Amino acid sequence: MRLSTLPSSFARWGLAGLALGTLALLSGCDYNWWRMDGHQSTIKVAGPVARSQLEVFYVTCWVTLVIFILVGGVLAYATWKFRARTAAEEKAVPPEQGHGNPLIEVGLIGASVLALVIIAIPTLKGIFYTYDVPEDRKADLYEITATGYQWWFKFEYPSEQIAGAGALTTGNELVIPANRPVRINVRGADVIHSFWVPKLAGKVDMIPNRANFLWLEADQPGYYWGQCAEYCGDSHAVMRFRVVALGPKDFNDWLSQQTAPARNVAAPKLADSNAPKAQFAALRTFKQNETGISDKFDVAPLDAWKAKQFPEKGENPALIAQGKALFSTKACVSCHEVRGHGAVGISGPNLTHIGARSTLAAGVIENNPEQLQRWIHNPGAVKPGNKMAKGYVDNNIKLTAEDEVALVAYLQSLK
Ligand code: HEC
Ligand SMILES: [Cu+2]
Protein backbone atom coordinates (compact mmCIF):
# COMPACT_ATOMS: atom_id res chain seq x y z
CA MET A 1 0.00 0.00 0.00
CA ARG A 2 1.26 3.45 -0.83
CA LEU A 3 1.84 5.80 2.03
CA SER A 4 -0.42 8.44 0.55
CA THR A 5 -3.37 6.06 0.62
CA LEU A 6 -3.10 5.47 4.37
CA PRO A 7 -5.96 7.14 6.22
CA SER A 8 -3.55 9.49 7.93
CA SER A 9 -5.77 10.75 10.74
CA PHE A 10 -6.50 7.17 11.69
CA ALA A 11 -2.77 6.37 11.77
CA ARG A 12 -2.00 9.48 13.79
CA TRP A 13 -4.74 8.86 16.36
CA GLY A 14 -3.83 5.22 16.50
CA LEU A 15 -0.22 6.04 17.33
CA ALA A 16 -1.20 8.67 19.89
CA GLY A 17 -3.60 6.20 21.48
CA LEU A 18 -0.91 3.53 21.62
CA ALA A 19 1.55 5.91 23.28
CA LEU A 20 -1.05 7.11 25.81
CA GLY A 21 -2.15 3.56 26.51
CA THR A 22 1.43 2.50 27.17
CA LEU A 23 1.93 5.43 29.51
CA ALA A 24 -1.29 4.66 31.35
CA LEU A 25 -0.28 1.01 31.71
CA LEU A 26 3.17 1.90 32.95
CA SER A 27 1.91 4.46 35.44
CA GLY A 28 -0.64 1.95 36.67
CA CYS A 29 2.12 -0.54 37.30
CA ASP A 30 4.18 1.80 39.33
CA TYR A 31 4.28 5.42 40.37
CA ASN A 32 7.98 5.45 39.52
CA TRP A 33 7.64 4.28 35.94
CA TRP A 34 9.78 7.07 34.50
CA ARG A 35 12.73 5.83 36.56
CA MET A 36 11.79 2.24 35.82
CA ASP A 37 12.01 1.67 39.55
CA GLY A 38 9.41 0.43 41.98
CA HIS A 39 8.89 -2.29 44.56
CA GLN A 40 8.82 -5.00 41.93
CA SER A 41 11.11 -3.51 39.30
CA THR A 42 13.11 -5.98 37.25
CA ILE A 43 15.21 -3.09 35.91
CA LYS A 44 16.49 -1.60 39.18
CA VAL A 45 17.67 -4.86 40.70
CA ALA A 46 19.33 -5.61 44.03
CA GLY A 47 21.18 -8.90 43.68
CA PRO A 48 23.50 -10.86 41.38
CA VAL A 49 20.90 -13.34 40.09
CA ALA A 50 18.44 -10.64 39.04
CA ARG A 51 21.38 -8.69 37.60
CA SER A 52 22.43 -11.61 35.43
CA GLN A 53 18.85 -11.94 34.15
CA LEU A 54 18.72 -8.20 33.51
CA GLU A 55 21.88 -8.43 31.40
CA VAL A 56 20.26 -11.02 29.14
CA PHE A 57 17.22 -8.77 28.87
CA TYR A 58 19.35 -5.81 27.83
CA VAL A 59 21.38 -7.76 25.27
CA THR A 60 18.11 -8.96 23.72
CA CYS A 61 16.74 -5.41 23.77
CA TRP A 62 19.81 -3.93 22.08
CA VAL A 63 19.94 -6.63 19.40
CA THR A 64 16.25 -6.20 18.61
CA LEU A 65 16.64 -2.41 18.66
CA VAL A 66 19.37 -2.65 16.03
CA ILE A 67 17.16 -4.95 13.93
CA PHE A 68 14.26 -2.54 14.37
CA ILE A 69 16.31 0.45 13.25
CA LEU A 70 17.78 -1.37 10.24
CA VAL A 71 14.51 -2.89 9.00
CA GLY A 72 12.46 0.18 9.93
CA GLY A 73 15.05 2.44 8.26
CA VAL A 74 15.01 0.48 5.00
CA LEU A 75 11.22 0.41 5.02
CA ALA A 76 10.94 4.15 5.73
CA TYR A 77 13.53 4.96 3.05
CA ALA A 78 11.83 2.83 0.42
CA THR A 79 8.38 4.15 1.26
CA TRP A 80 9.56 7.75 1.01
CA LYS A 81 11.83 7.38 -1.99
CA PHE A 82 9.37 5.45 -4.18
CA ARG A 83 6.16 7.18 -3.16
CA ALA A 84 3.74 8.39 -5.81
CA ARG A 85 4.44 12.07 -6.37
CA THR A 86 1.84 13.01 -8.95
CA ALA A 87 -1.70 11.97 -9.86
CA ALA A 88 -0.27 10.23 -12.94
CA GLU A 89 2.20 8.19 -10.85
CA GLU A 90 -0.65 7.35 -8.52
CA LYS A 91 -2.51 5.62 -11.36
CA ALA A 92 0.53 4.11 -13.07
CA VAL A 93 1.05 0.33 -13.22
CA PRO A 94 3.70 -0.72 -10.67
CA PRO A 95 7.06 -1.61 -12.20
CA GLU A 96 8.02 -5.25 -12.58
CA GLN A 97 8.70 -6.91 -9.21
CA GLY A 98 11.99 -8.71 -8.52
CA HIS A 99 12.10 -12.20 -7.00
CA GLY A 100 14.98 -13.72 -5.08
CA ASN A 101 18.46 -12.37 -4.66
CA PRO A 102 20.85 -15.04 -3.37
CA LEU A 103 23.29 -12.52 -1.96
CA ILE A 104 20.62 -10.70 0.07
CA GLU A 105 19.01 -13.95 1.22
CA VAL A 106 22.23 -15.56 2.37
CA GLY A 107 23.25 -12.25 3.94
CA LEU A 108 19.99 -12.04 5.89
CA ILE A 109 20.31 -15.64 7.09
CA GLY A 110 23.88 -14.92 8.20
CA ALA A 111 22.81 -11.74 9.99
CA SER A 112 19.98 -13.57 11.79
CA VAL A 113 22.34 -16.33 12.90
CA LEU A 114 24.78 -13.70 14.15
CA ALA A 115 22.01 -11.92 16.08
CA LEU A 116 20.97 -15.21 17.68
CA VAL A 117 24.55 -16.07 18.62
CA ILE A 118 24.98 -12.64 20.22
CA ILE A 119 21.87 -13.35 22.31
CA ALA A 120 22.73 -17.01 22.97
CA ILE A 121 26.12 -16.44 24.59
CA PRO A 122 24.96 -14.36 27.59
CA THR A 123 21.76 -16.41 27.78
CA LEU A 124 23.64 -19.70 28.19
CA LYS A 125 26.04 -18.09 30.65
CA GLY A 126 23.05 -16.76 32.59
CA ILE A 127 21.24 -20.11 32.60
CA PHE A 128 24.24 -21.81 34.20
CA TYR A 129 24.88 -18.98 36.65
CA THR A 130 21.31 -18.59 37.87
CA TYR A 131 20.67 -22.34 38.12
CA ASP A 132 22.49 -22.85 41.41
CA VAL A 133 24.87 -21.17 43.83
CA PRO A 134 28.35 -20.96 42.24
CA GLU A 135 30.88 -23.48 43.65
CA ASP A 136 33.09 -20.80 45.19
CA ARG A 137 30.12 -19.38 47.14
CA LYS A 138 28.78 -22.72 48.41
CA ALA A 139 30.59 -22.43 51.75
CA ASP A 140 28.47 -19.35 52.47
CA LEU A 141 25.18 -20.90 51.41
CA TYR A 142 22.04 -20.51 53.55
CA GLU A 143 19.03 -22.73 52.88
CA ILE A 144 15.33 -22.07 53.39
CA THR A 145 12.24 -24.02 52.31
CA ALA A 146 9.33 -22.02 50.92
CA THR A 147 5.92 -23.63 50.49
CA GLY A 148 3.03 -22.03 48.61
CA TYR A 149 -0.47 -22.41 50.04
CA GLN A 150 -3.72 -20.88 48.82
CA TRP A 151 -2.99 -17.90 49.40
CA TRP A 152 0.06 -17.46 51.58
CA PHE A 153 3.66 -18.59 51.95
CA LYS A 154 5.27 -20.76 54.61
CA PHE A 155 9.01 -20.40 55.24
CA GLU A 156 11.05 -23.04 57.09
CA TYR A 157 14.63 -22.80 58.28
CA PRO A 158 16.00 -26.38 58.33
CA SER A 159 19.24 -25.28 60.00
CA GLU A 160 17.29 -23.87 62.97
CA GLN A 161 15.90 -26.92 64.70
CA ILE A 162 13.80 -26.24 67.79
CA ALA A 163 13.58 -29.03 70.36
CA GLY A 164 10.20 -30.73 70.04
CA ALA A 165 8.98 -28.37 67.32
CA GLY A 166 11.08 -29.13 64.25
CA ALA A 167 12.49 -26.45 62.00
CA LEU A 168 11.84 -22.78 62.67
CA THR A 169 8.71 -21.86 60.73
CA THR A 170 7.41 -18.42 59.77
CA GLY A 171 4.96 -17.08 57.24
CA ASN A 172 4.75 -14.40 54.59
CA GLU A 173 7.93 -12.59 55.55
CA LEU A 174 11.12 -14.27 54.44
CA VAL A 175 14.05 -13.05 56.48
CA ILE A 176 17.41 -13.80 54.85
CA PRO A 177 21.04 -12.92 55.53
CA ALA A 178 22.18 -10.12 53.22
CA ASN A 179 25.29 -10.64 51.11
CA ARG A 180 25.05 -14.40 51.28
CA PRO A 181 23.76 -16.78 48.63
CA VAL A 182 20.42 -18.20 49.75
CA ARG A 183 18.96 -21.33 48.21
CA ILE A 184 15.18 -21.42 48.37
CA ASN A 185 13.72 -24.91 48.10
CA VAL A 186 10.27 -24.35 46.67
CA ARG A 187 7.28 -26.61 47.34
CA GLY A 188 3.55 -26.45 46.63
CA ALA A 189 0.94 -27.60 49.14
CA ASP A 190 -2.23 -27.51 47.08
CA VAL A 191 -2.06 -26.05 43.56
CA ILE A 192 0.83 -24.63 41.54
CA HIS A 193 2.14 -21.32 42.87
CA SER A 194 5.23 -19.39 41.86
CA PHE A 195 7.89 -17.75 43.97
CA TRP A 196 9.00 -14.36 42.68
CA VAL A 197 11.00 -11.52 44.19
CA PRO A 198 11.59 -9.37 41.09
CA LYS A 199 14.47 -7.34 42.50
CA LEU A 200 16.34 -10.46 43.60
CA ALA A 201 15.63 -13.27 41.12
CA GLY A 202 13.30 -14.55 38.45
CA LYS A 203 10.30 -16.70 39.25
CA VAL A 204 10.27 -20.43 39.90
CA ASP A 205 7.09 -22.51 40.14
CA MET A 206 6.08 -24.15 43.40
CA ILE A 207 4.61 -27.44 42.25
CA PRO A 208 2.89 -29.98 44.52
CA ASN A 209 4.91 -33.19 44.82
CA ARG A 210 7.82 -31.85 42.83
CA ALA A 211 10.89 -30.52 44.63
CA ASN A 212 12.44 -27.50 42.95
CA PHE A 213 14.76 -24.69 43.97
CA LEU A 214 16.24 -21.35 43.06
CA TRP A 215 18.91 -19.18 44.54
CA LEU A 216 19.14 -15.51 45.20
CA GLU A 217 21.23 -13.01 47.06
CA ALA A 218 20.58 -9.49 48.30
CA ASP A 219 23.51 -7.11 47.79
CA GLN A 220 22.73 -5.34 51.04
CA PRO A 221 20.25 -5.26 53.90
CA GLY A 222 16.86 -4.21 52.58
CA TYR A 223 13.15 -4.78 52.32
CA TYR A 224 11.94 -6.40 49.11
CA TRP A 225 8.54 -7.17 47.62
CA GLY A 226 7.60 -10.62 46.35
CA GLN A 227 4.50 -12.35 45.14
CA CYS A 228 2.97 -15.47 43.72
CA ALA A 229 3.33 -15.35 39.95
CA GLU A 230 1.19 -18.32 38.92
CA TYR A 231 -2.58 -18.01 38.85
CA CYS A 232 -3.77 -20.08 41.80
CA GLY A 233 -7.41 -19.25 42.50
CA ASP A 234 -9.64 -16.56 44.02
CA SER A 235 -7.05 -14.59 45.94
CA HIS A 236 -4.06 -15.15 43.68
CA ALA A 237 -3.61 -11.41 43.06
CA VAL A 238 -3.30 -10.83 46.82
CA MET A 239 -0.85 -13.65 47.50
CA ARG A 240 2.24 -11.64 48.26
CA PHE A 241 5.16 -11.71 50.63
CA ARG A 242 8.15 -9.70 51.73
CA VAL A 243 11.84 -10.46 51.87
CA VAL A 244 13.82 -8.81 54.63
CA ALA A 245 17.60 -9.03 54.19
CA LEU A 246 19.61 -8.37 57.34
CA GLY A 247 23.29 -7.93 58.16
CA PRO A 248 25.00 -10.82 60.07
CA LYS A 249 24.34 -9.51 63.57
CA ASP A 250 20.74 -8.48 62.96
CA PHE A 251 20.10 -11.82 61.27
CA ASN A 252 21.44 -13.81 64.21
CA ASP A 253 19.46 -11.66 66.66
CA TRP A 254 16.37 -12.27 64.58
CA LEU A 255 16.98 -16.03 64.59
CA SER A 256 17.34 -16.16 68.34
CA GLN A 257 14.20 -14.10 68.80
CA GLN A 258 12.24 -16.32 66.40
CA THR A 259 13.41 -19.60 67.87
CA ALA A 260 12.22 -18.49 71.33
CA PRO A 261 8.68 -19.55 72.20
CA ALA A 262 5.82 -17.03 72.05
CA ARG A 263 6.01 -14.10 74.48
CA ASN A 264 4.00 -14.29 77.64
CA VAL A 265 2.93 -10.84 78.67
CA ALA A 266 0.59 -11.95 81.45
CA ALA A 267 3.55 -13.02 83.57
CA PRO A 268 5.86 -10.00 83.84
CA LYS A 269 8.96 -12.04 84.67
CA LEU A 270 8.64 -14.26 81.62
CA ALA A 271 7.90 -11.23 79.50
CA ASP A 272 11.24 -9.79 80.48
CA SER A 273 13.14 -12.98 79.77
CA ASN A 274 11.46 -13.37 76.37
CA ALA A 275 11.74 -9.72 75.38
CA PRO A 276 13.26 -9.30 71.94
CA LYS A 277 16.84 -8.22 71.64
CA ALA A 278 17.34 -4.51 71.99
CA GLN A 279 19.20 -4.19 68.70
CA PHE A 280 16.55 -1.99 67.13
CA ALA A 281 15.86 0.17 70.19
CA ALA A 282 16.49 3.46 68.42
CA LEU A 283 13.58 2.81 66.12
CA ARG A 284 10.85 2.49 68.69
CA THR A 285 9.44 5.91 67.95
CA PHE A 286 8.44 4.97 64.41
CA LYS A 287 4.89 5.91 63.60
CA GLN A 288 3.05 3.82 61.07
CA ASN A 289 0.82 5.44 58.50
CA GLU A 290 -2.88 4.81 58.51
CA THR A 291 -3.70 3.97 54.95
CA GLY A 292 -3.71 0.26 55.62
CA ILE A 293 -1.80 -0.29 52.42
CA SER A 294 1.27 -2.24 53.29
CA ASP A 295 3.51 -0.90 50.55
CA LYS A 296 3.38 2.75 51.48
CA PHE A 297 5.58 3.74 54.35
CA ASP A 298 6.35 7.07 56.00
CA VAL A 299 9.87 5.87 56.70
CA ALA A 300 12.26 3.46 55.03
CA PRO A 301 10.45 0.11 54.97
CA LEU A 302 13.36 -1.76 56.54
CA ASP A 303 13.30 0.64 59.51
CA ALA A 304 9.54 0.20 59.74
CA TRP A 305 10.04 -3.54 59.85
CA LYS A 306 12.72 -3.25 62.53
CA ALA A 307 10.43 -1.10 64.64
CA LYS A 308 7.91 -3.96 64.64
CA GLN A 309 10.38 -6.18 66.50
CA PHE A 310 9.58 -4.44 69.80
CA PRO A 311 6.78 -4.83 72.26
CA GLU A 312 4.21 -2.06 71.72
CA LYS A 313 4.06 0.68 74.29
CA GLY A 314 1.26 0.48 76.86
CA GLU A 315 0.60 -3.24 76.62
CA ASN A 316 -2.35 -4.37 78.73
CA PRO A 317 -1.57 -7.79 80.28
CA ALA A 318 -5.19 -8.41 81.31
CA LEU A 319 -6.50 -7.74 77.82
CA ILE A 320 -3.74 -9.85 76.30
CA ALA A 321 -4.59 -12.75 78.63
CA GLN A 322 -8.21 -12.45 77.56
CA GLY A 323 -7.15 -12.55 73.91
CA LYS A 324 -4.97 -15.57 74.55
CA ALA A 325 -7.91 -17.46 76.05
CA LEU A 326 -10.15 -16.49 73.12
CA PHE A 327 -7.51 -17.75 70.71
CA SER A 328 -8.10 -21.28 72.08
CA THR A 329 -11.86 -21.11 72.44
CA LYS A 330 -12.58 -19.52 69.04
CA ALA A 331 -10.93 -22.33 67.04
CA CYS A 332 -7.97 -20.17 66.00
CA VAL A 333 -5.74 -22.85 67.57
CA SER A 334 -6.98 -25.47 65.16
CA CYS A 335 -5.37 -23.75 62.19
CA HIS A 336 -2.55 -21.68 63.68
CA GLU A 337 0.54 -22.53 65.68
CA VAL A 338 1.66 -20.30 68.54
CA ARG A 339 4.63 -22.20 69.87
CA GLY A 340 4.61 -22.30 73.66
CA HIS A 341 0.97 -21.29 73.95
CA GLY A 342 -0.60 -24.64 73.11
CA ALA A 343 -1.75 -23.68 69.60
CA VAL A 344 -0.65 -26.34 67.14
CA GLY A 345 -2.68 -25.85 63.93
CA ILE A 346 -0.81 -26.12 60.66
CA SER A 347 -3.30 -25.17 57.97
CA GLY A 348 -2.71 -21.42 58.50
CA PRO A 349 0.45 -19.32 58.93
CA ASN A 350 2.53 -19.80 62.07
CA LEU A 351 1.66 -16.93 64.42
CA THR A 352 4.30 -17.45 67.15
CA HIS A 353 5.86 -14.06 66.35
CA ILE A 354 3.10 -12.50 64.26
CA GLY A 355 3.41 -9.17 66.12
CA ALA A 356 6.91 -8.77 64.72
CA ARG A 357 5.84 -8.90 61.07
CA SER A 358 5.22 -5.74 59.09
CA THR A 359 2.36 -7.13 57.03
CA LEU A 360 -0.69 -9.37 57.39
CA ALA A 361 -2.55 -11.81 55.18
CA ALA A 362 0.40 -12.55 52.89
CA GLY A 363 1.77 -9.06 52.49
CA VAL A 364 -1.56 -7.47 51.69
CA ILE A 365 -2.29 -5.17 54.62
CA GLU A 366 -0.07 -3.43 57.11
CA ASN A 367 0.29 -5.13 60.45
CA ASN A 368 -1.20 -2.58 62.83
CA PRO A 369 -4.08 -2.89 65.32
CA GLU A 370 -6.72 -1.38 62.98
CA GLN A 371 -5.83 -3.60 60.05
CA LEU A 372 -5.48 -6.69 62.23
CA GLN A 373 -8.94 -6.08 63.64
CA ARG A 374 -10.27 -5.57 60.12
CA TRP A 375 -8.73 -8.94 59.18
CA ILE A 376 -10.04 -11.01 62.07
CA HIS A 377 -13.43 -9.25 61.89
CA ASN A 378 -14.02 -10.44 58.33
CA PRO A 379 -11.05 -12.05 56.55
CA GLY A 380 -13.16 -12.66 53.44
CA ALA A 381 -13.56 -8.91 52.92
CA VAL A 382 -9.78 -8.51 52.69
CA LYS A 383 -9.05 -11.60 50.62
CA PRO A 384 -11.98 -13.08 48.75
CA GLY A 385 -12.55 -16.76 49.40
CA ASN A 386 -9.52 -17.32 51.64
CA LYS A 387 -9.34 -20.45 53.80
CA MET A 388 -9.64 -18.58 57.10
CA ALA A 389 -12.89 -16.95 55.97
CA LYS A 390 -14.17 -20.41 55.08
CA GLY A 391 -13.03 -21.65 58.50
CA TYR A 392 -15.11 -18.92 60.16
CA VAL A 393 -18.22 -20.20 58.41
CA ASP A 394 -17.46 -23.91 58.96
CA ASN A 395 -16.68 -23.44 62.65
CA ASN A 396 -19.40 -20.83 63.16
CA ILE A 397 -16.85 -18.41 64.62
CA LYS A 398 -18.51 -15.25 65.91
CA LEU A 399 -16.47 -12.50 67.51
CA THR A 400 -17.85 -9.53 69.44
CA ALA A 401 -16.08 -6.18 69.11
CA GLU A 402 -14.65 -6.81 72.58
CA ASP A 403 -13.30 -10.22 71.50
CA GLU A 404 -11.66 -8.61 68.50
CA VAL A 405 -9.91 -5.97 70.58
CA ALA A 406 -8.59 -8.62 72.99
CA LEU A 407 -7.39 -10.87 70.15
CA VAL A 408 -5.67 -7.91 68.51
CA ALA A 409 -3.87 -7.04 71.76
CA TYR A 410 -2.78 -10.66 72.12
CA LEU A 411 -1.53 -11.07 68.54
CA GLN A 412 0.28 -7.73 68.61
CA SER A 413 2.07 -8.83 71.79
CA LEU A 414 3.57 -11.86 69.99
CA LYS A 415 6.90 -10.29 69.09
C1 HEC B 1 -9.85 -22.80 59.15
C2 HEC B 1 -8.54 -22.42 59.58
C3 HEC B 1 -8.39 -21.07 60.28
C4 HEC B 1 -9.01 -20.62 61.42
C5 HEC B 1 -10.08 -21.31 62.23
C6 HEC B 1 -8.42 -19.34 61.70
N1 HEC B 1 -7.49 -19.03 60.77
FE1 HEC B 1 -6.32 -17.37 60.71
N2 HEC B 1 -5.59 -17.92 58.92
C7 HEC B 1 -5.88 -19.09 58.28
C8 HEC B 1 -5.30 -19.07 56.97
C9 HEC B 1 -5.37 -20.17 55.91
C10 HEC B 1 -4.64 -17.82 56.86
C11 HEC B 1 -3.90 -17.29 55.63
C12 HEC B 1 -4.92 -16.57 54.81
C13 HEC B 1 -4.37 -15.96 53.57
O1 HEC B 1 -3.52 -15.06 53.68
O2 HEC B 1 -4.77 -16.39 52.48
C14 HEC B 1 -4.83 -17.14 58.11
C15 HEC B 1 -4.26 -15.91 58.42
C16 HEC B 1 -4.32 -15.34 59.68
C17 HEC B 1 -3.56 -14.19 60.10
C18 HEC B 1 -2.52 -13.45 59.24
C19 HEC B 1 -1.23 -14.22 59.30
C20 HEC B 1 -0.12 -13.69 58.45
O3 HEC B 1 0.95 -14.33 58.43
O4 HEC B 1 -0.26 -12.67 57.79
C21 HEC B 1 -3.92 -13.91 61.39
C22 HEC B 1 -3.36 -12.81 62.26
C23 HEC B 1 -4.92 -14.89 61.77
N3 HEC B 1 -5.13 -15.74 60.71
C24 HEC B 1 -5.55 -14.93 63.01
C25 HEC B 1 -6.59 -15.81 63.30
C26 HEC B 1 -7.40 -15.70 64.49
C27 HEC B 1 -7.25 -14.68 65.57
C28 HEC B 1 -8.31 -16.72 64.43
C29 HEC B 1 -9.41 -17.06 65.41
C30 HEC B 1 -10.42 -16.07 65.62
C31 HEC B 1 -8.05 -17.45 63.21
N4 HEC B 1 -7.00 -16.87 62.55
C32 HEC B 1 -8.76 -18.55 62.79
C33 HEC B 1 -6.61 -20.13 58.77
C34 HEC B 1 -7.44 -20.06 59.88
CU1 LIG C 1 -0.31 -18.64 44.44
Side-chain angles (χ1 to χ4, degrees):
M1 187 195 296
R2 295 191 189 98
L3 190 65
S4 56
T5 61
L6 263 182
S8 62
S9 67
F10 172 79
R12 236 177 275 143
W13 283 110
L15 275 178
L18 200 70
L20 274 178
T22 314
L23 272 186
L25 255 180
L26 284 171
S27 56
C29 288
D30 219 287
Y31 49 89
N32 266 334
W33 61 268
W34 60 91
R35 280 188 281 151
M36 295 205 194
D37 197 3
H39 298 320
Q40 306 211 112
S41 172
T42 49
I43 304 288
K44 291 280 164 4
V45 295
V49 176
R51 208 154 33 240
S52 151
Q53 287 155 341
L54 181 62
E55 269 160 30
V56 176
F57 170 75
Y58 273 138
V59 169
T60 316
C61 271
W62 289 125
V63 170
T64 41
L65 187 69
V66 169
I67 295 174
F68 174 75
I69 290 171
L70 287 179
V71 175
V74 170
L75 180 68
Y77 170 79
T79 316
W80 181 252
K81 169 108 176 138
F82 302 108
R83 73 193 187 280
R85 264 167 262 243
T86 60
E89 275 181 6
E90 192 93 54
K91 295 200 192 81
V93 182
E96 193 164 335
Q97 308 291 301
H99 295 283
N101 179 327
L103 195 68
I104 293 183
E105 277 165 20
V106 170
L108 283 180
I109 292 171
S112 311
V113 169
L114 182 72
L116 289 177
V117 169
I118 294 176
I119 295 177
I121 291 170
T123 304
L124 286 171
K125 242 176 69 186
I127 287 175
F128 284 107
Y129 179 71
T130 55
Y131 175 65
D132 200 3
V133 181
E135 280 307 319
D136 58 336
R137 305 288 316 279
K138 284 230 166 98
D140 231 7
L141 172 67
Y142 196 82
E143 263 188 287
I144 295 166
T145 305
T147 309
Y149 286 78
Q150 282 175 319
W151 288 276
W152 59 281
F153 292 87
K154 178 167 88 181
F155 300 118
E156 285 162 297
Y157 293 70
S159 53
E160 310 300 325
Q161 292 294 329
I162 303 166
L168 167 64
T169 305
T170 70
N172 301 323
E173 286 192 3
L174 172 63
V175 179
I176 59 169
N179 256 311
R180 273 180 74 177
V182 179
R183 191 192 280 139
I184 314 276
N185 295 301
V186 291
R187 306 284 184 264
D190 32 43
V191 299
I192 302 178
H193 302 275
S194 181
F195 179 98
W196 192 28
V197 196
K199 275 179 178 272
L200 298 181
K203 46 189 100 152
V204 169
D205 276 3
M206 315 174 97
I207 305 171
N209 294 323
R210 191 183 191 290
N212 208 346
F213 67 91
L214 73 149
W215 79 278
L216 49 79
E217 180 175 344
D219 290 332
Q220 52 191 0
Y223 188 91
Y224 305 99
W225 275 251
Q227 79 170 70
C228 173
E230 176 74 48
Y231 179 68
C232 58
D234 293 23
S235 270
H236 160 69
V238 277
M239 179 173 170
R240 306 179 193 164
F241 65 105
R242 300 292 191 272
V243 176
V244 180
L246 297 176
K249 181 174 181 305
D250 284 353
F251 184 66
N252 282 334
D253 287 347
W254 180 82
L255 283 180
S256 53
Q257 175 183 329
Q258 291 286 314
T259 43
R263 270 182 83 223
N264 234 324
V265 183
K269 271 195 175 155
L270 256 180
D272 287 342
S273 65
N274 283 345
K277 301 277 173 297
Q279 78 269 33
F280 306 128
L283 294 156
R284 274 167 198 250
T285 50
F286 165 68
K287 189 180 155 294
Q288 259 169 336
N289 72 4
E290 274 124 47
T291 60
I293 300 165
S294 56
D295 28 323
K296 295 198 171 64
F297 288 91
D298 295 341
V299 298
L302 183 62
D303 291 345
W305 179 88
K306 286 178 176 178
K308 289 298 292 179
Q309 307 307 301
F310 291 98
E312 311 288 332
K313 275 188 199 140
E315 284 183 324
N316 177 344
L319 191 63
I320 291 172
Q322 194 186 328
K324 186 177 168 186
L326 283 165
F327 197 81
S328 325
T329 53
K330 295 292 178 184
C332 319
V333 284
S334 61
C335 297
H336 293 288
E337 177 174 354
V338 180
R339 192 166 21 88
H341 286 188
V344 293
I346 51 162
S347 58
N350 188 308
L351 301 181
T352 309
H353 298 280
I354 181 70
R357 291 184 209 152
S358 58
T359 63
L360 291 171
V364 172
I365 46 175
E366 196 163 314
N367 185 8
N368 61 32
E370 302 82 66
Q371 294 300 324
L372 180 53
Q373 184 165 358
R374 185 178 152 216
W375 171 254
I376 60 176
H377 176 70
N378 184 359
V382 179
K383 282 178 94 158
N386 81 74
K387 301 283 153 96
M388 175 156 150
K390 189 175 173 300
Y392 268 40
V393 177
D394 294 352
N395 297 294
N396 197 22
I397 296 179
K398 295 221 164 57
L399 303 173
T400 64
E402 200 197 332
D403 292 345
E404 288 170 13
V405 170
L407 279 166
V408 166
Y410 169 61
L411 293 167
Q412 291 288 300
S413 79
L414 298 175
K415 295 291 179 174

